[in-house]
């Protein structure tokens, strides 16, 4: 590849667990420092001479694949497994997992967790694809690539791949009519983008951008680079017009934009021809009953024994009915499974393990609540809207719930009877916030409802709304979690003691979203905060009305996202204060400021019960074949910041020999550091 120099590459504004350690995050986005902070991670351990994965040895010998010394970056990321309490593994083998829909193969991007920077198991940010990052004043980010890093097809990964995304995609009005994503426009203006050399890029904002690094590390990350060498052939600014027209016709695409979008789809993994930086690359065209993800021979990580990661040669995904997954997992048809396994399946899975089947463990969910209720404060029903906007009504609903009963009956006493807030593993956890209005007090709840004028009842004892309708409260949910349904059935009885009749209606998730967006829903039952493990440096986005896809205030979020062109302006004092606090966090310059902002936001939520948490910290069954090693027995299972299995290193899992399936992982050492090939 010939590197094109910057021309100049500057885009201006078109208009002008134990408690996680946070040291690296503090360095990453601590804005108090006036100088430059380098995020380099822990000092890399020494690595042995490269050991070629056996499955690739034949291709290397035949000359169709370069040897490992030429495939790895000059400075690979070396994973010190013993320091993590893991064992050096053995390369080879395939595991099978189950999904219910073709589009769920996107979870390989999540679980593979190859990121420019990523979270460690201790929730610290560390470079991964990048060699290092330098941050100045919280607004100047300099990214240094690893020399010699290559895409899965062997093409160099360089600054040109960042330029292509920024100039030819994010700022191309055909591909992105709305411009760059919100994380690149934190205060309404984009950064200045520069290529300093073929392996160094810089983004400079006029104000701090604390969203940037956490977004790069997300479960679905902000992907600010693309394989330019591959995608140019589908881009009108680069491709030969006749050749591009032929490709559009052959693909039966609407236009070049649709073709480019279809060929890119990095998150969905639907194009096997697209180069990747992930540990495994899809080799199966959709639709299919089985998808095979094969090891990336150019993956940038290795262990201290010189073995290239990932250890596993392949991961196969079998498509099956979601309802059959628990039975299939119990029968050993999945080598690693958590998705589609609810806590209600644990008894069956454990019984299978006792009969010699796969091992089942329970991980703690990392959400703010396993079951939460969301009053829709922007519902289009004017009477319900006025009722639900009264904080005492929401407090009464919370006080009436017998969380202890729900915990004992549905979660076997294993959950936490707290609000929808941060978990004890978060450094921001506050016991008072977690328990506010969470202790059952039916008398107080009834008194609160009486105090706001909801005193009239019908002949059945049901309270009446101000317009004379009975308080028949319809709670909508997506039907994907049986434990949530079981909890709601108990809460029906709890709220009946207030004179409120609750009805449960189930819709598909997509239909449910549309109903909330339209304002049709009055209340939604779902899981709680996606991130119950937040640190002060992580954005409090989930707790403020800044996005449409939020159950309590979709119309307010839409108003914020569209800059006032749609939705409704926030018109509640407490919610307006949340917006102010979020704006303050977006320009905060110290960890102390961020902590104070987070604390006030969490306090406002607990005091106002914008969402009503029921039980948190539920248990997620994780099933694995007895041969699989290096997977924790106990961990947190969470979408963000954990990326499900992602932060625990799916690339470090390996299979013990068939005749040693019952042995402990510590009895399965790999090559010792210093061992060479052969």
């Amino acid at each position: 590849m010939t590197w094109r120099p910057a021309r100049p590459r500057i885009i201006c504004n078109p208009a002008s667990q134990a408690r996680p350690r946070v040291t690296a995050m503090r360095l990453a986005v601590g804005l108090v420092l006036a100088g430059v902070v380098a995020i380099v991670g822990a000092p890399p351990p020494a690595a042995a001479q490269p050991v070629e994965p056996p499955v690739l040895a034949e291709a290397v010998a035949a000359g169709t694949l370069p040897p490992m010394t030429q495939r790895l970056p000059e400075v690979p990321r070396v994973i010190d497994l013993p320091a993590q309490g893991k064992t050096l593994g053995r390369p080879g083998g395939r595991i099978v997992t189950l999904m219910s829909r073709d589009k769920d193969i996107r979870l390989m991007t999540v679980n593979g967790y190859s990121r420019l920077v990523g979270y460690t198991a201790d929730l610290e940010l560390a470079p991964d694809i990048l060699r290092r990052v330098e941050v100045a004043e919280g607004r100047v980010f300099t990214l240094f690539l690893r020399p010699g890093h290559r895409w899965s097809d062997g093409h160099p990964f360089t600054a040109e791949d960042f330029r292509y995304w920024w100039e030819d995609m994010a700022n191309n009005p055909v591909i992105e009519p709305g411009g760059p994503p919100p994380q690149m426009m934190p205060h309404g203006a984009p950064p200045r983008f520069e290529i300093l050399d073929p392996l160094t890029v810089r983004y400079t904002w006029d104000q701090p951008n604390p969203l940037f690094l956490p977004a790069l590390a997300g479960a679905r990350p902000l992907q600010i680079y693309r394989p330019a060498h591959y995608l140019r052939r589908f881009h009108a600014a680069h491709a030969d017009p006749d050749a591009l027209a032929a490709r559009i016709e052959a693909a039966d695409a609407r236009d070049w934009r649709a073709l480019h979008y279809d060929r890119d789809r990095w998150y969905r993994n639907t194009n096997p021809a697209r180069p990747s930086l992930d540990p495994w690359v899809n080799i199966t065209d959709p639709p299919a009953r089985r998808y095979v993800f094969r090891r990336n021979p150019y993956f940038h990580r290795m262990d201290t024994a010189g073995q290239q990661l990932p250890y596993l040669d392949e991961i196969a995904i079998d498509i099956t009915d979601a309802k059959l997954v628990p039975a299939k997992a119990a029968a050993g048809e999945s080598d690693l499974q958590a998705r589609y396994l609810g806590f209600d399946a644990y008894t069956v899975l454990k019984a299978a393990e006792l009969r010699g089947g796969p091992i089942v463990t329970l991980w703690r969910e990392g959400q703010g609540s396993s079951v939460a209720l969301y009053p829709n404060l922007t519902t289009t029903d004017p009477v319900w809207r006025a009722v639900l906007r009264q904080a005492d009504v929401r407090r009464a609903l919370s006080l009436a719930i017998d969380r202890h009963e729900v915990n004992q009956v549905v979660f076997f006493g294993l959950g936490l009877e707290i609000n929808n807030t941060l978990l004890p593993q978060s450094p921001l956890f506050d016991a008072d916030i977690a328990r506010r209005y969470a202790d059952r007090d039916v008398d107080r709840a009834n008194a609160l409802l009486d105090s706001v004028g909801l005193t009239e009842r019908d002949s059945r004892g049901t309270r009446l709304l101000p317009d004379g309708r009975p308080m028949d409260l319809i709670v909508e949910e997506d039907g994907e979690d049986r434990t949530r349904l079981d909890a709601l059935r108990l809460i029906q009885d709890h709220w009946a003691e207030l004179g409120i009749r609750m009805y449960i209606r189930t819709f598909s998730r997509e239909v449910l979203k549309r109903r909330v967006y339209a304002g049709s829903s009055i209340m939604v039952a779902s899981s709680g905060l996606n991130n119950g493990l937040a640190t002060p440096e992580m954005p409090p986005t989930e707790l403020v009305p800044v996005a449409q896809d939020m159950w309590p205030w979709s119309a307010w979020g839409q108003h914020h996202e569209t800059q006032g062109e749609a939705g409704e302006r926030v018109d509640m004092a407490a919610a307006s204060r949340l917006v102010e606090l979020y704006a303050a966090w977006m320009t905060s310059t110290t960890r102390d400021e961020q902590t104070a902002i987070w604390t006030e936001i969490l306090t406002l939520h607990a005091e106002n019960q914008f969402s009503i948490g029921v039980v948190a910290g539920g248990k997620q069954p994780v099933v694995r074949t007895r041969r699989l090693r290096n997977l924790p027995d106990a961990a947190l299972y969470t979408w963000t910041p954990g990326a499900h299995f992602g932060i625990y290193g799916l690339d470090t899992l390996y299979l013990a020999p068939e005749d040693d399936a019952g042995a402990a992982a510590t009895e399965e050492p790999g090559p010792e550091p210093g061992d060479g090939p052969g």
Side-chain angles (χ1 to χ4, degrees), residues 609-626:
Q609 292 293 305
F610 290 126
S611 64
I612 302 169
V614 181
V615 174
K619 295 288 189 168
Q620 170 65 53
V622 175
V623 173
R624 71 176 189 270
T625 178
R626 292 177 179 265

Side-chain angles (χ1 to χ4, degrees), residues 381-402:
D381 184 317
V383 178
W384 269 113
R385 177 192 290 221
V387 168
L388 293 176
R389 285 192 175 194
Q390 298 183 79
D392 279 342
V393 172
R394 302 190 299 272
R395 292 163 184 156
L397 293 174
S398 181
L399 286 166
I401 296 174
D402 189 340

Side-chain angles (χ1 to χ4, degrees), residues 143-315:
L143 314 184
F144 298 84
L145 281 61
R146 297 180 185 273
H149 194 174
R150 297 176 181 273
W151 290 93
S152 57
D153 63 354
H155 198 280
F157 172 57
T158 70
E160 175 61 19
D161 298 311
F162 291 78
R163 186 214 62 79
Y164 182 84
W165 177 79
W166 183 246
E167 294 186 3
D168 292 322
M169 293 182 64
N171 283 282
N172 184 294
V174 176
I175 290 183
E176 290 294 347
Q183 300 94 331
M184 302 298 287
M185 308 269 287
H187 304 286
R192 295 184 297 278
F193 171 73
E194 304 168 87
I195 289 182
L196 305 185
D197 62 48
L199 297 176
T200 312
V201 298
R202 175 174 291 161
Y203 300 85
T204 303
W205 282 270
D206 292 334
Q207 299 182 67
N209 183 3
L211 299 175
F212 187 53
L213 292 181
L216 298 181
R220 179 172 181 167
L222 174 63
Q223 198 83 332
I224 60 174
Y225 58 88
R226 291 295 197 277
H229 69 285
Y230 172 75
L231 289 176
R232 280 198 200 99
R233 72 194 72 176
F234 310 113
H235 198 295
H238 297 280
D240 175 80
D242 293 336
L244 181 58
R247 293 189 183 104
I248 293 170
E249 182 178 3
D252 194 24
R254 183 177 63 255
D255 50 28
W256 75 265
R257 177 183 183 273
L259 178 65
H260 189 280
Y261 175 80
D262 180 72
R263 294 298 184 264
D264 182 36
R265 306 198 84 179
W266 61 272
Y267 179 65
R268 297 233 176 199
N269 285 304
T270 53
N271 178 15
R274 184 195 183 280
S276 173
L277 299 179
D278 290 347
W280 298 273
V281 181
N282 180 29
I283 63 170
T284 309
D285 285 306
R289 300 306 300 170
R290 165 170 282 195
Y291 291 88
V292 175
F293 284 75
R294 185 165 293 165
R295 70 180 304 134
N296 174 0
Y298 294 90
F299 193 55
H300 63 285
R301 300 179 198 156
M302 64 185 297
D303 68 15
T304 51
Q307 299 181 113
Q308 186 182 21
L309 298 173
Y311 288 133
L312 295 169
D313 291 333
E314 292 182 351
I315 296 181

Side-chain angles (χ1 to χ4, degrees), residues 421-423 426-436 599 602-603:
T421 188
L422 300 183
L423 301 177
S426 167
L428 292 164
F429 176 77
D430 183 292
D432 175 67
I433 290 173
R435 297 294 306 175
R436 197 169 301 185
T599 300
L602 293 169
T603 302

Side-chain angles (χ1 to χ4, degrees), residues 253-579:
R254 183 177 63 255
D255 50 28
W256 75 265
R257 177 183 183 273
L259 178 65
H260 189 280
Y261 175 80
D262 180 72
R263 294 298 184 264
D264 182 36
R265 306 198 84 179
W266 61 272
Y267 179 65
R268 297 233 176 199
N269 285 304
T270 53
N271 178 15
R274 184 195 183 280
S276 173
L277 299 179
D278 290 347
W280 298 273
V281 181
N282 180 29
I283 63 170
T284 309
D285 285 306
R289 300 306 300 170
R290 165 170 282 195
Y291 291 88
V292 175
F293 284 75
R294 185 165 293 165
R295 70 180 304 134
N296 174 0
Y298 294 90
F299 193 55
H300 63 285
R301 300 179 198 156
M302 64 185 297
D303 68 15
T304 51
Q307 299 181 113
Q308 186 182 21
L309 298 173
Y311 288 133
L312 295 169
D313 291 333
E314 292 182 351
I315 296 181
I317 297 176
D318 287 348
I319 305 300
T320 189
D321 189 325
K323 296 177 182 176
L324 300 178
V325 170
K328 286 178 173 287
E333 295 183 35
S334 175
D335 297 311
L336 177 62
Q337 196 72 39
R339 191 164 176 82
Y340 316 111
L341 299 180
F343 184 69
D344 56 304
Y346 177 70
T347 303
V348 172
L349 296 168
K350 197 66 178 178
E353 178 188 341
L354 295 175
R355 294 193 301 269
I359 294 172
V360 56
T361 57
L362 290 175
W363 289 18
R364 177 78 72 178
E365 292 178 350
Q367 298 163 321
S369 186
S370 300
V371 180
L373 294 138
Y374 296 87
N376 187 355
L377 304 180
T378 60
T379 180
T380 53
D381 184 317
V383 178
W384 269 113
R385 177 192 290 221
V387 168
L388 293 176
R389 285 192 175 194
Q390 298 183 79
D392 279 342
V393 172
R394 302 190 299 272
R395 292 163 184 156
L397 293 174
S398 181
L399 286 166
I401 296 174
D402 189 340
R403 290 170 173 80
H404 184 68
E405 180 185 43
V406 174
N407 190 18
Q408 294 300 317
V409 173
V410 180
F411 295 94
F412 296 88
L414 299 174
L416 305 173
E417 299 161 16
I418 61 175
N419 286 315
N420 179 25
T421 188
L422 300 183
L423 301 177
Q425 292 90 341
S426 167
L428 292 164
F429 176 77
D430 183 292
D432 175 67
I433 290 173
R435 297 294 306 175
R436 197 169 301 185
Y437 300 107
D439 293 319
R440 192 171 198 237
D441 190 335
V442 178
D443 291 340
R444 185 183 177 195
N446 272 305
L448 286 173
L449 294 178
D450 291 342
S451 72
V452 298
L454 296 172
T455 56
E456 299 296 320
R457 298 178 183 244
D458 64 15
S459 59
R460 296 174 298 178
T462 303
R463 290 180 187 268
L464 301 180
L465 293 167
D467 65 352
R469 284 182 291 164
M471 288 192 72
D472 293 341
L473 180 53
I474 298 173
V475 175
E476 301 178 3
E477 59 93 43
D478 60 18
E480 295 182 1
D481 189 338
R482 282 183 55 186
T483 57
R484 182 166 61 239
L485 277 171
D486 292 340
L488 290 177
R489 293 187 181 105
L490 293 174
I491 296 170
Q492 279 179 314
D493 295 335
H494 304 159
W495 285 356
E497 296 183 55
L498 302 181
I500 297 174
R501 291 187 299 181
M502 185 239 278
Y503 296 89
I504 305 167
R505 294 184 65 184
T506 299
F507 300 94
S508 71
R509 178 166 285 269
E510 291 306 312
V511 171
L512 181 59
K513 283 183 178 180
R514 289 198 296 269
R515 286 183 56 79
V516 172
Y517 295 170
S520 302
S521 300
I522 296 171
M523 184 175 289
V524 172
S526 185
S527 53
L529 297 174
N530 279 321
N531 184 7
L533 307 169
T535 64
E537 298 88 350
M538 296 181 187
T541 313
E542 287 189 88
L543 295 161
V544 293
V546 295
Q548 184 182 22
D549 61 345
M550 293 182 169
W551 304 128
W553 39 48
S554 178
W556 291 342
Q558 185 186 37
H559 187 272
H560 183 274
E561 283 187 317
T562 62
Q563 298 181 351
E565 294 183 6
E568 300 176 20
R569 184 184 300 276
V570 177
D571 57 353
M572 280 180 62
S576 295
R577 178 58 181 160
L578 290 175
V579 175

Side-chain angles (χ1 to χ4, degrees), residues 29 31 210 536-537 585 588 590-599:
V29 292
L31 310 181
E537 298 88 350
W585 184 88
S588 56
T590 70
R591 179 177 167 84
D592 287 343
E593 283 183 86
Q594 292 167 340
T595 299
I597 291 167
W598 261 100
T599 300

